[in-house]
Amino acid sequence: GAGVSQSPSNKVTEKGKDVELRCDPISGHTALYWYRQSLGQGLEFLIYFQGNSAPDKSGLPSDRFSAERTGGSVSTLTIQRTQQEDSAVYLCASSLASTGKSYEQYFGPGTRLTVT
Amino acid sequence: AQTVTQSQPEMSVQEAETVTLSCTYDTSESDYYLFWYKQPPSRQMILVIRQEAYKQQNATENRFSVNFQKAAKSFSLKISDSQLGDAAMYFCAYSGGADGLTFGKGTHLIIQP
């Protein structure tokens, strides 16, 4: 079956613009995760959804970042008023459930965001 | 908070040889899972192997095996008969609850033909 897909693959935006990054999880996966991968910070966990609910948003780097998930499927990560430090690869992953720590997370190919 | 440390930024091995990648972690939990993920230049993170903390037996997946030392909080990955396709970044990751993975900084593995 299809894996996790993310769009766009690459995004170049000007500082101050808003961007939306999309993630399509594997069908039937109830849990969805967002991570950020940058040279300076490595891989950082940002937020996860169980269904449409995000129990903890404290991992989001600033209030310019928001995420939503609708219909228990597609998720969108929005970054408002982008800054150069937001440049990174944004990875999405999904798993069967988040209540079991053993569930494997399947990753998408990521979106490379470049803020100029 | 949990932390994961990979002390080898880069490792190099000859094709067909064996290489071991190191990982240590810190946690106060007793029940958790550990993972090794591979990330080739395509950026796609691929699960290599996982270990349940309550299991004493070390996990193995074909040429990949781990040495899990719970008391020492150590979780190394051994790759036997290294192949050119094994070249990638390898990340050690910790999962302790219903949230995201905590990753190490990664080890860049180079395979010399």
Side-chain angles (χ1 to χ4, degrees):
Chain A
V4 178
S5 61
Q6 292 186 246
S7 60
S9 177
N10 291 282
K11 176 73 176 178
V12 180
T13 190
E14 292 180 353
K15 177 182 173 181
K17 300 283 190 182
D18 297 352
V19 295
E20 282 191 354
L21 312 180
R22 176 187 168 106
C23 173
D24 267 288
I26 293 171
S27 178
H29 281 194
T30 60
L32 185 148
Y33 306 80
W34 283 99
Y35 296 86
R36 179 169 71 173
Q37 185 173 25
S38 59
L39 282 174
Q41 300 298 321
L43 273 155
E44 305 170 83
F45 165 66
L46 299 180
I47 191 169
Y48 86 98
F49 289 88
Q50 178 57 39
N52 292 331
S53 174
D56 183 2
K57 300 181 180 180
S58 63
L60 294 175
S62 77
D63 58 9
R64 297 184 294 103
F65 287 71
S66 63
E68 65 175 13
R69 189 179 185 194
T70 55
S73 181
V74 172
S75 176
T76 302
L77 178 68
T78 301
I79 309 173
Q80 296 179 309
R81 305 180 303 281
T82 51
Q83 303 294 313
Q84 288 187 331
E85 61 262 28
D86 299 333
S87 295
V89 174
Y90 290 82
L91 294 169
C92 175
S94 70
S95 69
L96 279 171
S98 68
T99 53
K101 63 197 73 173
S102 67
Y103 285 107
E104 176 183 351
Q105 293 185 24
Y106 294 81
F107 283 79
T111 294
R112 181 179 295 281
L113 175 66
T114 303
V115 182
T116 61
Chain B
Q2 294 82 17
T3 59
V4 177
T5 302
Q6 293 179 251
S7 58
Q8 305 153 317
E10 186 173 280
M11 292 282 285
S12 181
V13 64
Q14 292 284 335
E15 195 176 2
E17 296 293 308
T18 295
V19 64
T20 299
L21 308 184
S22 302
C23 174
T24 58
Y25 59 94
D26 189 23
T27 182
S28 57
E29 302 288 330
S30 59
D31 185 21
Y32 52 87
Y33 284 74
L34 297 164
F35 305 85
W36 278 98
Y37 277 89
K38 169 185 177 181
Q39 187 180 40
S42 66
R43 293 200 310 245
Q44 187 85 48
M45 296 281 278
I46 302 164
L47 179 66
V48 174
I49 199 167
R50 72 178 185 184
Q51 175 79 41
E52 296 100 308
Y54 64 86
K55 285 190 176 179
Q56 292 185 337
Q57 185 174 8
N58 289 324
T60 62
E61 288 287 342
N62 301 314
R63 297 182 295 105
F64 299 86
S65 62
V66 299
N67 183 5
F68 174 49
Q69 302 289 330
K70 190 173 184 179
K73 296 180 181 174
S74 171
F75 181 61
S76 61
L77 174 69
K78 185 171 83 171
I79 306 174
S80 304
D81 185 25
S82 298
Q83 300 176 1
L84 294 177
D86 295 335
M89 284 292 291
Y90 285 80
F91 292 94
C92 178
Y94 169 98
S95 176
D99 55 14
L101 298 169
T102 300
F103 286 91
K105 294 289 188 185
T107 296
H108 181 211
L109 179 63
I110 298 168
I111 310 294
Q112 306 277 6

